[in-house]
Amino acid sequence: MNKRWTIAKIKQFVENNSESKLLTTEYHGFSQKLLFKCACGSNFEKTFTKFKNNNQRKCDVCQPPQPTR
């Protein structure tokens, strides 16, 4: 089942599942990078898919990217 995400639903998910805040105000699709503010104060960009599915919920300083295989 394809769940339709709106900016309001994404904001609610971010608030409930991370310490980061969503700064982006419009959502145009799963490939769009969204702007977040990490708990440390740094801004970072991730697609919502990566944020949601890969647990990449902090900036690259607080949560360094995992090495590629």
Side-chain angles (χ1 to χ4, degrees), residues 11-48:
K11 187 171 185 174
Q12 189 70 41
F13 180 89
V14 171
E15 289 174 0
N16 292 340
N17 295 288
S18 75
E19 297 175 13
S20 299
K21 292 190 180 200
L22 179 65
L23 299 179
T24 301
T25 57
E26 294 182 4
Y27 182 61
H28 300 290
F30 68 93
S31 62
Q32 173 193 355
K33 287 194 173 185
L34 303 174
L35 183 63
F36 298 94
K37 182 180 271 299
C38 184
C40 74
S42 299
N43 291 348
F44 66 100
E45 287 187 327
K46 292 265 191 292
T47 62
F48 182 59

Side-chain angles (χ1 to χ4, degrees), residues 2 8 35-36 41 51-52 57 59 65:
N2 187 7
L35 183 63
F36 298 94
F51 187 90
K52 179 171 64 83
R57 299 181 181 171
C59 68

